Amino acid sequence: MSTTIPRPPTDPAEYDAFGCDPNSDVIETPDKVSPNIRLTRKVHGSFDVTMPDGRDVRFWGFVDPNTSGGDRTWPSPLIRVRQGQIVHATLDAAKNTHTIHWHGIEPSTVNDGVGHTSFEVSNQYTYQWQAKTPGTYFYHCHKNTVLHFEMGMYGPLVIDPPSGPGLLFERHPADEDQATDLRYQVEAIWSFDDVDPRWHELNHSAGLCGEDAGLNRFEPKYFLISGVPHPRTERDPRVIVRARKGQNILLRSINATYSNLDIRIGLNSTIVEMDGRPLRTNPQLGTFSKPIPVPAKAVTNLTPAQRTTFMIHNVQPGRYEVTATYKDWITNRPHAAGGLARTWIEVT
């Protein structure tokens, strides 16, 4: 016979432990094996990004301490591994507590980087996981998540097939589609972001213990692609895509905003991967999603945290517009401050 343990509807002590004082007793990585890839991300506490109107906005992020002189890129540096590899990723929290959550990857609970189900890292911890499915992912801090993400604590993560970049994924003999060309010669990784400068003046733990820090209001003033604010996106080489006639272009798009995002590409394209899963019909693999053709200038909507990868085959000379419209999470209307970023695909 089962026993029911009575408890109050709310337990303040339990709320404190779960809500604003998670466990930070770091353990050794369990069941550690030899890795194929080792990498480190160190928390960079504070740096400024100058917006087009001259305003400096404070950001936090992860840096690669093994890069000469460190770096302060935002978004944080790309992590790129191959399918099947065992990854050891060491987080150096530097100060305070942070985590790295591997968004879309499927590690064990203690390696997933969600502090409320494992622990927050107060010093160093080495996450262990295996790269299983080729696709587009990202990593981010999962402490006081909504704020730390907005502060810039995220970066793109790509899993390539065993052969490496240049092929989206390896064809399986039972794939229904054996004709679509999965090779690409040009690749772009676009992280779309929007910035509400008010949030960037808050402290590390704002709102974490239930106080009203105003995180229910998000009023972005700047709209960016891969850390470049519009309108610089129209001329910055980190954003513009350049290709030659006849090449295939792969566009990996990450919605790192708190907005509904409408993307329009001035070329016919095909969605070939979403959220780290190739679009293929293959009952043996349990997949039933065909690639999705997208006519030129048609809208593709990405919700927050969604990743969508477009393939453009056999491009022809021209200059093609790409626009992103950032829409309010409640009204679904473009933000009052413009809500637009534009860039170009240039083919010669």
Side-chain angles (χ1 to χ4, degrees):
M1 181 178 180
S2 62
T3 302
T4 300
I5 302 175
R7 57 183 299 173
T10 58
D11 183 341
E14 183 173 309
Y15 176 81
D16 286 345
F18 189 80
C20 62
D21 189 23
N23 178 29
S24 58
D25 297 330
V26 178
I27 62 173
E28 285 294 321
T29 308
D31 303 317
K32 210 169 185 178
V33 299
S34 297
N36 304 108
I37 295 287
R38 297 179 193 270
L39 59 95
T40 302
R41 288 293 178 270
K42 183 176 182 178
V43 173
H44 189 290
S46 182
F47 58 94
D48 289 339
V49 174
T50 303
M51 297 298 167
D53 59 3
R55 180 173 182 171
D56 288 333
V57 178
R58 183 181 52 141
F59 282 82
W60 309 330
F62 299 104
V63 298
D64 182 352
N66 297 316
T67 300
S68 178
D71 59 82
R72 296 185 180 184
T73 58
W74 168 60
S76 300
L78 169 68
I79 293 176
R80 189 156 210 155
V81 300
R82 298 189 182 191
Q83 183 180 12
Q85 290 183 319
I86 302 292
V87 180
H88 279 185
T90 299
L91 168 62
D92 183 345
K95 61 180 182 179
N96 294 318
T97 57
H98 295 278
T99 74
I100 293 181
H101 171 59
W102 310 97
H103 197 101
I105 307 292
E106 299 172 339
S108 62
T109 302
V110 296
N111 289 298
D112 195 34
V114 179
H116 288 99
T117 58
S118 55
F119 50 84
E120 295 174 349
V121 179
S122 57
N123 187 6
Q124 288 190 349
Y125 178 73
T126 298
Y127 296 97
Q128 175 176 271
W129 47 271
Q130 185 173 34
K132 294 182 178 178
T133 306
T136 310
Y137 304 81
F138 62 102
Y139 64 98
H140 64 84
C141 181
H142 215 297
K143 172 176 175 97
N144 205 9
T145 312
V146 292
L147 177 61
H148 287 208
F149 192 92
E150 168 65 12
M151 291 299 294
M153 300 192 74
Y154 71 88
L157 166 62
V158 171
I159 297 179
D160 292 306
S163 58
L167 181 70
L168 182 61
F169 62 88
E170 292 187 348
R171 190 72 76 191
H172 186 277
D175 281 352
E176 183 180 275
D177 175 17
Q178 297 286 335
T180 301
D181 189 356
L182 300 176
R183 298 169 297 172
Y184 58 91
Q185 293 77 45
V186 177
E187 179 188 38
I189 304 173
W190 285 335
S191 298
F192 297 87
D193 205 344
D194 45 11
V195 172
D196 182 342
R198 181 179 62 84
W199 283 38
H200 289 249
E201 296 173 356
L202 299 174
N203 66 53
H204 178 85
S205 299
L208 192 61
C209 295
E211 73 274 22
D212 183 5
L215 294 174
N216 60 321
R217 290 185 294 110
F218 185 68
E219 299 166 343
K221 308 299 182 189
Y222 309 107
F223 305 93
L224 311 95
I225 304 174
S226 299
V228 178
H230 178 79
R232 296 176 190 159
T233 50
E234 297 200 52
R235 57 184 184 277
D236 193 296
R238 290 173 290 177
V239 183
I240 286 180
V241 176
R242 293 189 170 91
R244 296 192 303 275
K245 178 183 177 181
Q247 290 184 316
N248 295 341
I249 301 174
L250 191 73
L251 302 174
R252 301 182 187 269
S253 302
I254 302 171
N255 185 357
T257 74
Y258 286 135
S259 301
N260 274 323
L261 189 70
D262 284 348
I263 297 176
R264 291 179 174 86
I265 301 172
L267 285 163
N268 292 333
S269 62
T270 303
I271 298 175
V272 288
E273 178 248 321
M274 297 178 72
D275 294 331
R277 298 295 181 270
L279 297 189
R280 68 202 317 179
T281 299
N282 186 327
Q284 290 187 20
L285 300 179
T287 55
F288 303 92
S289 299
K290 296 180 180 178
I292 303 170
V294 181
K297 300 181 181 179
V299 172
T300 299
N301 177 257
L302 275 67
T303 54
Q306 185 174 350
R307 291 90 64 207
T308 296
T309 297
F310 304 87
M311 180 78 88
I312 305 173
H313 291 101
N314 188 28
V315 291
Q316 297 302 304
R319 191 167 189 254
Y320 305 97
E321 182 182 51
V322 179
T323 62
T325 303
Y326 302 65
K327 300 190 296 187
D328 184 272
W329 62 20
I330 297 173
T331 67
N332 204 36
R333 295 173 180 168
H335 288 288
L340 176 73
R342 178 187 294 111
T343 191
W344 300 90
I345 298 173
E346 297 177 347
V347 184
T348 56

